[in-house]
Amino acid sequence: MKFSINRELLLKPLLLVSGAVERKSTLPILGNILFDVSEQSLTLTATDLELEMVAYTEIDNQGDDGKLTIPARKLLDICKSLPENSLITFTAKDDTVKLCSGRSRYSLSTLPASDFPNIEEWKGDVEFKLLKSELLRLIESTHFSMANQDVRYYLNGMSIESEGNEIRSVATDGHRLAICKITNDSLALPARQVIVPRKGILEIIRLLSPVDEEVNIYLGSNHIRIIDTEFSFTSKLVDGRFPDYRRVLPRNGDKIFVTNKEQLRQVLSRASILSNEKFKGVRLNFSNSLLKITANNPEQEQAEEELEIDFPYESLEVGFNVSYVLDVLSAIKDEEVKFTLADANSSVVIEGVDSGEALYVVMPMRL
């Protein structure tokens, strides 16, 4: 088995699949990438048994078709350190593969391709197409609200839902909730809900660029698959029931306040510097024309910020984890944001004034 490829043509698919390579596995082969040579094309596959990434590229094949697995980290480091536009020749014999480029020679040990795990073939029972920019917006608008290593394992991921002409993404860690929906009139989808694990969601964000190119999305009973011209991404789904978030959406908010997002973000960022490092609590005091933001910490240090607002209701004081509110303000793209409040013990609903695509709920803190 012998083939040659330009460094740049190899580096891109290598970087694409490397996200699925298992770093600390007890199975050595999961640290390898499967190379499948067929005529003038090369398919690269990596998996950690939860995710599978496949990428494609063209090669100059000078030998027989075949398969082998090569250590991912070492190969990637070698390719990165070679000069630009180098021609790399791979020659596989027995259980080693030799890489030659100019005066550089490397010999890497391989593992049998027959031992490489293959996510079983399956058919998606829900299929649809979305623009990469739409899918990215859907996920980026909510991903920061996913739990991380929560014992309620079904929260360590994102719920993706389809219904009619709507696709929704929902994430919650029990303290905050993020919902984003995209409406596409060309879709006619069955009602379906799947939970994509946290690692899969972060990998999708890494793979997608905000361009107006379509990708195919397949939802199966145990997997989600995204297929593009350059790659195929498959992730196992979390087996569990996502909580019924509609029941926790606050309905009694009767106080609405609208403000410039960037201004609010800046004053909250400044106040957060002196908030308690562990709990990140800040107090928001609403009065008719003024929002007073205060934060303090165990060292008896205090921050105080003021913002002119229009709040034609009774005065209200409510505490929040400032990190949660700042995450929401970073995700909203509108210039102005709308807060809907009820009282000091109720969650706040935050949304952009113009788009209405995404909605965020943050629970209050007792300070």
Side-chain angles (χ1 to χ4, degrees):
M1 188 172 163
K2 184 180 180 182
F3 62 90
S4 301
I5 184 169
N6 181 290
R7 169 187 177 266
E8 272 56 40
L9 284 177
L10 178 60
L11 202 50
K12 190 173 182 185
L14 260 185
L15 287 166
L16 275 177
V17 301
S18 63
V21 174
E22 185 58 75
R23 304 262 190 292
K24 313 186 202 59
S25 175
T26 49
L27 277 174
I29 198 149
L30 296 185
N32 284 20
I33 290 173
L34 176 68
F35 277 59
D36 185 352
V37 173
S38 175
E39 295 178 355
Q40 301 303 312
S41 67
L42 169 66
T43 304
L44 288 80
T45 308
T47 183
D48 63 0
L49 300 181
E50 296 292 319
L51 303 180
E52 182 186 73
M53 275 295 310
V54 183
Y56 318 96
T57 188
E58 298 292 313
I59 54 166
D60 175 18
N61 190 2
Q62 298 141 23
D64 298 331
D65 293 354
K67 296 180 182 182
L68 77 159
T69 77
I70 304 176
R73 181 56 41 203
K74 292 170 186 168
L75 178 62
L76 190 56
D77 289 346
I78 291 168
C79 286
K80 280 180 176 174
S81 56
L82 286 171
E84 280 187 23
N85 288 314
S86 307
L87 186 70
I88 309 169
T89 300
F90 288 72
T91 311
K93 193 175 180 188
D94 300 330
D95 52 3
T96 59
V97 62
K98 289 188 168 57
L99 277 67
C100 303
S101 180
R103 295 185 170 185
S104 305
R105 302 279 184 278
Y106 297 92
S107 178
L108 292 172
S109 58
T110 63
L111 290 168
S114 55
D115 294 348
F116 195 82
N118 184 16
I119 289 184
E120 69 273 15
E121 280 303 308
W122 56 277
K123 285 289 289 177
D125 46 15
V126 178
E127 300 179 15
F128 57 94
K129 290 182 179 181
L130 270 187
L131 294 176
K132 286 184 188 177
S133 52
E134 287 182 325
L135 183 57
L136 194 58
R137 200 163 74 235
L138 195 69
I139 289 173
E140 283 190 330
S141 297
T142 56
H143 77 97
F144 54 85
S145 292
M146 291 187 294
N148 190 7
Q149 296 180 324
D150 197 297
V151 290
R152 297 164 294 181
Y153 61 94
Y154 48 82
L155 297 185
N156 302 320
M158 181 183 292
S159 173
I160 304 284
E161 304 171 13
S162 66
E163 190 175 0
N165 63 350
E166 248 183 36
I167 311 279
R168 281 186 300 276
S169 65
V170 188
T172 180
D173 61 5
H175 303 287
R176 53 182 169 170
L177 169 70
I179 306 168
C180 181
K181 67 173 184 213
I182 280 181
T183 306
N184 188 325
D185 291 335
S186 64
L187 297 175
L189 298 169
R192 189 70 196 279
Q193 183 184 47
V194 300
I195 306 173
V196 184
R198 181 186 177 85
K199 184 177 178 183
I201 290 294
L202 298 179
E203 197 57 30
I204 293 170
I205 292 174
R206 188 180 76 87
L207 289 171
L208 293 175
S209 46
V211 292
D212 288 345
E213 291 174 13
E214 284 191 328
V215 286
N216 293 307
I217 300 159
Y218 302 87
L219 304 180
S221 51
N222 300 311
H223 296 88
I224 179 172
R225 179 167 284 170
I226 297 170
I227 295 182
D228 178 38
T229 50
E230 294 180 333
F231 68 82
S232 161
F233 163 87
T234 308
S235 169
K236 282 189 176 175
L237 299 173
V238 177
D239 183 18
R241 277 188 68 80
F242 202 75
D244 184 3
Y245 57 89
R246 291 176 182 86
R247 284 173 46 200
V248 299
L249 287 175
R251 308 248 182 254
N252 56 347
D254 54 358
K255 301 173 183 66
I256 291 172
F257 118 84
V258 175
T259 188
N260 179 280
K261 180 192 75 174
E262 193 51 36
Q263 258 186 323
L264 181 63
R265 197 186 65 77
Q266 286 176 9
V267 295
L268 286 173
S269 295
R270 290 198 295 269
S272 72
I273 296 166
L274 296 187
S275 65
N276 183 317
E277 283 184 16
K278 190 174 177 188
F279 301 112
K280 286 289 182 189
V282 295
R283 271 193 188 84
L284 277 65
N285 280 79
F286 294 90
S287 60
N288 281 8
S289 59
L290 205 64
L291 170 59
K292 193 170 165 187
I293 297 163
T294 52
N296 46 38
N297 59 29
E299 289 84 51
Q300 305 301 314
E301 297 165 332
Q302 185 165 353
E304 197 172 291
E305 290 277 353
E306 289 183 349
L307 195 63
E308 284 187 19
I309 60 166
D310 179 23
F311 192 76
Y313 313 99
E314 285 180 23
S315 297
L316 176 67
E317 180 181 295
V318 58
F320 290 113
N321 179 323
V322 69
S323 301
Y324 294 171
V325 181
L326 287 170
D327 281 345
V328 170
L329 296 179
S330 298
I332 290 174
K333 302 290 182 271
D334 303 19
E335 281 187 20
E336 297 209 305
V337 287
K338 180 172 82 171
F339 283 59
T340 307
L341 303 130
D343 54 52
N345 301 315
S346 300
S347 300
V348 61
V349 176
I350 311 172
E351 50 200 319
V353 168
D354 300 323
S355 65
E357 255 184 12
L359 179 142
Y360 303 93
V361 179
V362 179
M363 282 175 69
M365 275 179 90
R366 290 183 187 277
L367 292 173

Coordinates of all heavy atoms in Angstrom, one line a residue, residues 213-288:
E213 N -24.5 27.2 3.3 CA -24.4 25.9 2.6 C -25.3 24.9 3.4 O -25.2 24.9 4.6 CB -23.0 25.4 2.6 CG -22.0 26.2 1.7 CD -20.6 25.7 1.9 OE1 -20.4 24.6 2.4 OE2 -19.7 26.4 1.4
E214 N -25.9 24.0 2.7 CA -26.8 23.0 3.4 C -26.0 21.8 3.9 O -25.1 21.4 3.3 CB -27.9 22.6 2.4 CG -29.0 23.6 2.2 CD -30.2 23.0 1.5 OE1 -30.0 22.1 0.6 OE2 -31.4 23.5 1.8
V215 N -26.5 21.3 5.0 CA -26.0 20.0 5.5 C -27.2 19.1 5.7 O -28.3 19.6 5.9 CB -25.2 20.1 6.8 CG1 -23.9 20.7 6.6 CG2 -26.0 20.9 7.9
N216 N -27.0 17.8 5.6 CA -28.1 16.9 5.8 C -28.0 16.4 7.2 O -26.9 16.0 7.7 CB -27.9 15.6 4.9 CG -28.1 16.0 3.4 OD1 -29.2 16.6 3.1 ND2 -27.2 15.7 2.6
I217 N -29.2 16.4 7.9 CA -29.2 15.9 9.3 C -30.2 14.7 9.4 O -31.3 14.7 8.8 CB -29.8 17.1 10.2 CG1 -28.8 18.3 10.1 CG2 -29.9 16.6 11.6 CD1 -29.4 19.6 10.5
Y218 N -29.7 13.7 10.0 CA -30.5 12.4 10.2 C -30.6 12.1 11.7 O -29.6 12.1 12.4 CB -29.8 11.3 9.5 CG -29.5 11.5 8.0 CD1 -28.3 12.1 7.6 CD2 -30.4 11.0 7.1 CE1 -28.1 12.3 6.3 CE2 -30.1 11.2 5.7 CZ -29.0 11.8 5.3 OH -28.7 12.0 4.0
L219 N -31.9 11.9 12.1 CA -32.1 11.5 13.5 C -32.6 10.1 13.5 O -33.5 9.7 12.8 CB -33.2 12.4 14.1 CG -33.0 13.9 14.1 CD1 -34.2 14.6 14.8 CD2 -31.7 14.3 14.8
G220 N -31.9 9.3 14.3 CA -32.3 7.9 14.4 C -32.7 7.6 15.8 O -32.8 8.5 16.6
S221 N -33.0 6.3 16.2 CA -33.4 6.0 17.5 C -32.3 6.2 18.5 O -32.5 6.5 19.7 CB -34.0 4.6 17.6 OG -33.1 3.7 17.0
N222 N -31.0 5.9 18.1 CA -29.9 6.0 19.0 C -28.8 7.0 18.5 O -27.8 7.1 19.3 CB -29.2 4.6 19.2 CG -30.2 3.6 19.7 OD1 -30.9 3.9 20.7 ND2 -30.3 2.4 19.1
H223 N -28.9 7.5 17.3 CA -27.8 8.3 16.8 C -28.4 9.6 16.1 O -29.5 9.6 15.7 CB -27.0 7.6 15.7 CG -26.3 6.4 16.3 ND1 -26.9 5.1 16.4 CD2 -25.0 6.2 16.8 CE1 -26.0 4.3 16.9 NE2 -24.9 4.9 17.1
I224 N -27.5 10.6 16.0 CA -27.7 11.7 15.1 C -26.5 11.8 14.1 O -25.4 11.5 14.5 CB -27.8 13.1 15.9 CG1 -28.0 14.2 14.9 CG2 -26.6 13.4 16.7 CD1 -28.3 15.6 15.6
R225 N -26.8 12.1 12.9 CA -25.7 12.1 11.9 C -25.9 13.4 11.1 O -27.0 13.8 10.7 CB -25.8 10.9 11.0 CG -24.7 10.9 9.9 CD -24.6 9.6 9.2 NE -23.9 8.6 10.1 CZ -23.8 7.3 9.8 NH1 -24.4 6.8 8.7 NH2 -23.2 6.5 10.6
I226 N -24.7 14.1 10.9 CA -24.7 15.3 10.0 C -23.7 15.0 8.9 O -22.6 14.6 9.1 CB -24.2 16.5 10.9 CG1 -25.3 16.8 12.0 CG2 -24.1 17.7 10.0 CD1 -24.8 17.8 13.0
I227 N -24.2 15.1 7.6 CA -23.4 14.8 6.5 C -23.2 16.1 5.6 O -24.2 16.8 5.3 CB -24.0 13.7 5.6 CG1 -24.0 12.4 6.5 CG2 -23.2 13.5 4.4 CD1 -24.5 11.2 5.8
D228 N -21.9 16.4 5.4 CA -21.5 17.5 4.6 C -20.7 17.0 3.4 O -20.3 15.8 3.4 CB -20.7 18.5 5.5 CG -20.2 19.7 4.7 OD1 -20.9 20.2 3.9 OD2 -19.0 20.1 5.0
T229 N -20.3 17.8 2.5 CA -19.5 17.3 1.4 C -18.1 16.9 1.9 O -17.4 16.1 1.3 CB -19.3 18.5 0.3 OG1 -18.9 19.7 1.0 CG2 -20.6 18.7 -0.4
E230 N -17.6 17.6 3.0 CA -16.3 17.3 3.5 C -16.2 16.3 4.6 O -15.2 15.7 4.8 CB -15.6 18.6 3.9 CG -15.4 19.6 2.8 CD -14.7 20.9 3.4 OE1 -15.0 21.2 4.6 OE2 -14.0 21.6 2.6
F231 N -17.3 16.1 5.3 CA -17.2 15.2 6.5 C -18.6 14.6 6.7 O -19.6 15.0 6.2 CB -16.8 16.0 7.7 CG -17.8 17.0 8.2 CD1 -18.9 16.7 9.0 CD2 -17.7 18.4 7.9 CE1 -19.8 17.6 9.4 CE2 -18.6 19.3 8.3 CZ -19.7 18.9 9.1
S232 N -18.5 13.5 7.6 CA -19.7 12.9 8.1 C -19.5 12.8 9.6 O -18.5 12.3 10.1 CB -19.9 11.5 7.5 OG -20.8 10.8 8.3
F233 N -20.5 13.3 10.4 CA -20.3 13.3 11.9 C -21.5 12.5 12.4 O -22.6 12.7 12.1 CB -20.4 14.7 12.4 CG -20.7 14.9 13.8 CD1 -19.7 14.8 14.8 CD2 -22.0 15.0 14.3 CE1 -19.9 14.9 16.1 CE2 -22.3 15.1 15.7 CZ -21.2 15.0 16.6
T234 N -21.2 11.5 13.3 CA -22.2 10.7 14.0 C -22.0 10.7 15.5 O -20.8 10.6 15.9 CB -22.1 9.3 13.5 OG1 -22.1 9.2 12.0 CG2 -23.3 8.4 14.0
S235 N -23.0 10.9 16.2 CA -23.0 10.9 17.7 C -24.1 10.0 18.2 O -25.2 10.0 17.7 CB -23.1 12.3 18.2 OG -23.2 12.2 19.7
K236 N -23.7 9.2 19.2 CA -24.8 8.5 20.0 C -25.6 9.5 20.7 O -25.2 10.6 21.0 CB -24.1 7.5 20.9 CG -23.6 6.2 20.3 CD -23.2 5.2 21.4 CE -22.8 3.9 20.7 NZ -22.2 3.0 21.7
L237 N -26.9 9.1 21.0 CA -27.8 10.0 21.7 C -27.8 9.6 23.2 O -27.4 8.5 23.5 CB -29.2 9.9 21.1 CG -29.3 10.3 19.7 CD1 -30.7 10.0 19.2 CD2 -29.0 11.8 19.5
V238 N -28.1 10.6 24.1 CA -28.3 10.3 25.5 C -29.6 9.5 25.6 O -30.7 10.0 25.2 CB -28.3 11.6 26.3 CG1 -28.5 11.2 27.8 CG2 -26.9 12.3 26.1
D239 N -29.6 8.4 26.3 CA -30.8 7.6 26.5 C -31.5 8.1 27.8 O -31.1 7.8 28.9 CB -30.4 6.1 26.6 CG -31.7 5.3 26.8 OD1 -32.8 5.7 26.5 OD2 -31.5 4.1 27.2
G240 N -32.5 8.9 27.7 CA -33.2 9.5 28.8 C -34.3 10.4 28.4 O -34.4 10.7 27.2
R241 N -35.0 10.9 29.4 CA -36.1 11.8 29.1 C -35.7 13.2 29.5 O -35.4 13.4 30.6 CB -37.4 11.4 29.8 CG -38.2 10.3 29.1 CD -39.6 10.1 29.8 NE -40.4 11.3 29.6 CZ -41.1 11.5 28.6 NH1 -41.1 10.7 27.5 NH2 -41.9 12.6 28.5
F242 N -35.8 14.1 28.5 CA -35.5 15.5 28.8 C -36.6 16.1 29.6 O -37.8 15.8 29.4 CB -35.3 16.3 27.5 CG -34.5 17.5 27.7 CD1 -33.1 17.5 27.9 CD2 -35.0 18.8 27.7 CE1 -32.3 18.6 28.0 CE2 -34.3 19.9 27.9 CZ -32.9 19.8 28.0
P243 N -36.4 16.9 30.7 CA -37.5 17.5 31.5 C -38.5 18.3 30.6 O -38.1 18.9 29.6 CB -36.8 18.3 32.5 CG -35.4 18.5 32.0 CD -35.1 17.4 31.1
D244 N -39.7 18.3 31.1 CA -40.7 19.1 30.4 C -40.5 20.6 30.7 O -41.1 21.1 31.7 CB -42.1 18.7 30.8 CG -43.2 19.4 30.0 OD1 -42.8 20.2 29.1 OD2 -44.4 19.2 30.3
Y245 N -39.7 21.3 29.9 CA -39.3 22.6 30.2 C -40.5 23.6 30.1 O -40.4 24.7 30.7 CB -38.1 23.1 29.3 CG -38.5 23.0 27.8 CD1 -39.1 24.0 27.2 CD2 -38.2 21.8 27.1 CE1 -39.4 23.9 25.8 CE2 -38.5 21.7 25.8 CZ -39.1 22.8 25.1 OH -39.4 22.7 23.8
R246 N -41.5 23.3 29.3 CA -42.6 24.2 29.2 C -43.3 24.5 30.5 O -43.9 25.5 30.7 CB -43.6 23.6 28.2 CG -43.1 23.6 26.7 CD -44.1 22.9 25.8 NE -43.6 22.8 24.4 CZ -42.9 21.8 24.0 NH1 -42.5 20.9 24.8 NH2 -42.5 21.8 22.7
R247 N -43.2 23.5 31.4 CA -43.9 23.7 32.7 C -43.2 24.7 33.6 O -43.8 25.3 34.5 CB -44.0 22.3 33.4 CG -45.1 21.4 32.9 CD -45.0 20.1 33.5 NE -44.9 20.1 34.9 CZ -44.5 19.0 35.6 NH1 -44.2 17.9 35.0 NH2 -44.4 19.1 36.9
V248 N -41.9 24.9 33.3 CA -41.1 25.9 34.2 C -41.0 27.3 33.6 O -40.4 28.1 34.2 CB -39.7 25.3 34.6 CG1 -39.8 24.0 35.3 CG2 -38.9 25.2 33.3
L249 N -41.6 27.4 32.4 CA -41.5 28.8 31.8 C -42.4 29.7 32.6 O -43.6 29.5 32.8 CB -42.0 28.7 30.3 CG -41.1 28.1 29.3 CD1 -41.8 28.0 28.0 CD2 -39.8 28.8 29.2
P250 N -41.8 30.8 33.1 CA -42.6 31.7 34.0 C -43.8 32.4 33.1 O -43.5 32.8 32.0 CB -41.6 32.8 34.4 CG -40.3 32.2 34.1 CD -40.4 31.3 33.0
R251 N -44.9 32.4 33.7 CA -46.1 32.9 33.0 C -46.6 34.2 33.6 O -47.5 34.9 33.1 CB -47.2 31.9 33.0 CG -46.8 30.5 32.5 CD -47.4 30.2 31.2 NE -47.1 28.9 30.7 CZ -46.2 28.6 29.7 NH1 -45.6 29.6 29.1 NH2 -46.0 27.4 29.3
N252 N -46.1 34.5 34.9 CA -46.7 35.6 35.6 C -45.9 36.9 35.6 O -46.1 37.8 36.4 CB -46.9 35.2 37.1 CG -45.6 34.7 37.7 OD1 -44.6 34.5 37.0 ND2 -45.6 34.6 39.0
G253 N -45.0 37.0 34.6 CA -44.2 38.2 34.6 C -45.0 39.4 34.1 O -45.6 39.4 33.0
D254 N -45.1 40.4 34.9 CA -45.9 41.6 34.6 C -45.1 42.9 34.5 O -45.6 44.0 34.3 CB -47.1 41.8 35.6 CG -46.6 41.8 37.0 OD1 -45.4 41.7 37.2 OD2 -47.4 42.0 37.9
K255 N -43.8 42.8 34.8 CA -42.9 43.9 34.7 C -41.9 43.7 33.6 O -41.1 42.8 33.6 CB -42.2 44.1 36.1 CG -43.1 44.3 37.3 CD -42.4 44.3 38.6 CE -43.3 44.4 39.7 NZ -44.2 43.2 39.9
I256 N -41.9 44.6 32.7 CA -41.0 44.5 31.5 C -40.0 45.7 31.5 O -40.4 46.8 31.7 CB -41.8 44.5 30.2 CG1 -42.6 43.2 30.1 CG2 -40.9 44.6 29.0 CD1 -43.6 43.1 29.0
F257 N -38.8 45.3 31.3 CA -37.8 46.4 31.2 C -36.9 46.2 30.0 O -36.4 45.0 29.7 CB -37.1 46.6 32.5 CG -35.6 46.5 32.5 CD1 -34.7 47.5 32.1 CD2 -35.0 45.3 32.9 CE1 -33.4 47.3 32.2 CE2 -33.7 45.1 33.0 CZ -32.8 46.1 32.6
V258 N -36.7 47.2 29.1 CA -35.9 47.1 27.9 C -34.7 48.0 28.0 O -34.8 49.1 28.5 CB -36.8 47.5 26.7 CG1 -35.9 47.5 25.4 CG2 -37.9 46.5 26.5
T259 N -33.5 47.5 27.6 CA -32.3 48.3 27.7 C -31.3 47.9 26.6 O -31.5 46.9 26.0 CB -31.7 48.1 29.1 OG1 -30.6 49.1 29.3 CG2 -31.1 46.8 29.3
N260 N -30.3 48.8 26.5 CA -29.3 48.5 25.5 C -28.4 47.3 26.0 O -27.9 47.3 27.2 CB -28.4 49.7 25.3 CG -27.3 49.5 24.3 OD1 -26.2 48.9 24.7 ND2 -27.4 49.9 23.1
K261 N -28.2 46.3 25.2 CA -27.6 45.1 25.6 C -26.1 45.4 26.0 O -25.6 44.9 27.1 CB -27.6 44.0 24.5 CG -26.9 42.7 24.9 CD -26.7 41.8 23.7 CE -25.6 42.3 22.8 NZ -25.3 41.4 21.7
E262 N -25.4 46.1 25.2 CA -24.0 46.3 25.4 C -23.7 47.1 26.7 O -22.8 46.8 27.4 CB -23.4 47.0 24.2 CG -21.9 47.0 24.1 CD -21.2 45.6 24.3 OE1 -21.8 44.6 23.8 OE2 -20.2 45.6 25.0
Q263 N -24.6 48.1 26.9 CA -24.4 48.9 28.1 C -24.6 48.0 29.4 O -23.8 48.1 30.3 CB -25.5 50.0 28.2 CG -25.0 51.4 27.8 CD -26.1 52.4 28.0 OE1 -27.3 52.2 27.7 NE2 -25.7 53.6 28.4
L264 N -25.7 47.2 29.4 CA -25.9 46.4 30.5 C -24.8 45.3 30.7 O -24.4 45.1 31.8 CB -27.3 45.6 30.3 CG -27.7 44.7 31.4 CD1 -27.9 45.5 32.7 CD2 -29.0 44.0 31.1
R265 N -24.3 44.8 29.6 CA -23.2 43.8 29.7 C -22.0 44.4 30.3 O -21.3 43.8 31.1 CB -22.9 43.3 28.3 CG -22.1 42.0 28.3 CD -21.7 41.6 26.9 NE -20.8 42.6 26.3 CZ -19.5 42.6 26.6 NH1 -19.0 41.8 27.5 NH2 -18.7 43.5 26.1
Q266 N -21.7 45.7 30.0 CA -20.5 46.3 30.5 C -20.6 46.5 32.0 O -19.7 46.3 32.8 CB -20.2 47.6 29.8 CG -19.7 47.4 28.4 CD -19.5 48.7 27.6 OE1 -19.6 49.8 28.2 NE2 -19.2 48.6 26.3
V267 N -21.8 47.0 32.5 CA -21.9 47.3 33.9 C -21.9 46.0 34.7 O -21.4 45.9 35.8 CB -23.1 48.2 34.2 CG1 -23.0 49.6 33.7 CG2 -24.4 47.6 33.8
L268 N -22.6 45.0 34.2 CA -22.6 43.7 34.9 C -21.2 43.1 34.9 O -20.8 42.5 35.9 CB -23.5 42.7 34.2 CG -25.0 43.0 34.4 CD1 -25.9 42.0 33.6 CD2 -25.4 42.8 35.9
S269 N -20.4 43.2 33.8 CA -19.0 42.7 33.8 C -18.2 43.4 34.9 O -17.4 42.7 35.6 CB -18.4 42.9 32.4 OG -19.1 42.1 31.5
R270 N -18.4 44.7 35.0 CA -17.5 45.4 35.9 C -17.9 45.0 37.4 O -17.1 44.8 38.2 CB -17.7 46.9 35.8 CG -17.0 47.4 34.5 CD -16.8 48.9 34.5 NE -18.1 49.7 34.6 CZ -18.7 50.1 33.5 NH1 -18.3 49.9 32.3 NH2 -19.9 50.8 33.6
A271 N -19.2 44.9 37.6 CA -19.7 44.6 39.0 C -19.3 43.2 39.3 O -18.9 42.9 40.5 CB -21.2 44.7 39.0
S272 N -19.2 42.3 38.3 CA -18.9 40.9 38.6 C -17.5 40.7 39.2 O -17.2 39.7 39.8 CB -19.1 40.0 37.4 OG -18.0 40.3 36.5
I273 N -16.6 41.7 38.9 CA -15.2 41.6 39.3 C -15.1 41.4 40.9 O -14.3 40.7 41.4 CB -14.4 42.8 38.9 CG1 -14.3 42.9 37.4 CG2 -13.0 42.8 39.5 CD1 -13.9 44.2 36.8
L274 N -16.0 42.1 41.6 CA -16.0 42.0 43.0 C -17.1 41.1 43.6 O -17.4 41.2 44.8 CB -16.1 43.4 43.6 CG -15.0 44.4 43.3 CD1 -15.1 45.7 44.1 CD2 -13.6 43.7 43.6
S275 N -17.7 40.3 42.8 CA -18.7 39.4 43.3 C -18.0 38.2 43.9 O -16.8 37.9 43.7 CB -19.7 38.9 42.2 OG -19.0 38.1 41.3
N276 N -18.7 37.4 44.8 CA -18.2 36.2 45.4 C -17.7 35.2 44.3 O -18.5 34.9 43.4 CB -19.3 35.6 46.3 CG -18.8 34.4 47.0 OD1 -18.1 33.5 46.5 ND2 -19.2 34.3 48.3
E277 N -16.5 34.8 44.3 CA -15.9 34.0 43.2 C -16.6 32.7 43.1 O -16.7 32.2 42.0 CB -14.4 33.8 43.5 CG -13.6 35.0 43.1 CD -12.1 34.7 43.3 OE1 -11.7 33.5 43.3 OE2 -11.3 35.7 43.3
K278 N -17.2 32.2 44.2 CA -17.9 30.9 44.1 C -19.3 31.0 43.6 O -19.8 30.2 42.7 CB -17.8 30.2 45.5 CG -18.3 28.8 45.5 CD -18.1 28.1 46.8 CE -18.6 26.7 46.8 NZ -18.6 26.1 48.1
F279 N -20.0 32.0 44.1 CA -21.5 32.0 43.8 C -21.8 33.1 42.8 O -22.9 33.1 42.2 CB -22.3 32.3 45.1 CG -22.1 31.3 46.2 CD1 -21.4 31.6 47.3 CD2 -22.5 30.0 46.0 CE1 -21.2 30.6 48.3 CE2 -22.3 29.0 47.0 CZ -21.6 29.3 48.1
K280 N -20.9 34.0 42.5 CA -21.1 35.0 41.5 C -22.4 35.8 41.6 O -23.0 36.1 40.6 CB -21.0 34.3 40.1 CG -19.6 33.9 39.7 CD -18.8 35.1 39.4 CE -17.4 34.8 38.9 NZ -16.6 36.0 38.8
G281 N -22.9 36.1 42.8 CA -24.2 36.8 43.0 C -24.1 38.3 42.8 O -23.1 38.9 43.3
V282 N -25.0 38.9 42.1 CA -25.1 40.4 42.1 C -26.6 40.7 42.4 O -27.5 39.9 42.1 CB -24.7 41.0 40.7 CG1 -23.3 40.8 40.4 CG2 -25.6 40.5 39.6
R283 N -26.8 41.9 43.0 CA -28.1 42.4 43.3 C -28.5 43.4 42.3 O -27.8 44.3 41.9 CB -28.2 43.1 44.7 CG -28.4 42.2 45.8 CD -28.8 43.0 47.1 NE -28.9 42.1 48.2 CZ -27.8 41.7 48.9 NH1 -26.6 42.1 48.6 NH2 -27.9 40.9 50.0
L284 N -29.8 43.3 41.8 CA -30.3 44.3 40.9 C -31.5 45.0 41.6 O -32.5 44.3 41.9 CB -30.8 43.6 39.6 CG -29.7 43.3 38.5 CD1 -28.7 42.3 38.9 CD2 -30.4 42.8 37.2
N285 N -31.3 46.3 41.8 CA -32.4 47.1 42.4 C -33.1 47.9 41.3 O -32.4 48.8 40.8 CB -31.8 48.0 43.5 CG -31.5 47.3 44.8 OD1 -30.5 46.6 44.9 ND2 -32.4 47.4 45.7
F286 N -34.3 47.6 41.0 CA -35.1 48.3 40.0 C -35.9 49.4 40.7 O -36.7 49.1 41.6 CB -36.0 47.4 39.2 CG -35.3 46.4 38.4 CD1 -35.0 45.1 38.9 CD2 -35.0 46.6 37.1 CE1 -34.3 44.2 38.1 CE2 -34.3 45.7 36.3 CZ -34.0 44.5 36.8
S287 N -35.7 50.7 40.2 CA -36.7 51.7 40.6 C -37.2 52.4 39.4 O -36.7 52.0 38.3 CB -36.0 52.7 41.6 OG -34.9 53.3 41.0
N288 N -38.0 53.4 39.5 CA -38.7 54.0 38.3 C -37.7 54.4 37.2 O -38.0 54.1 36.0 CB -39.5 55.3 38.7 CG -40.8 54.9 39.3 OD1 -41.0 53.7 39.6 ND2 -41.6 55.8 39.6

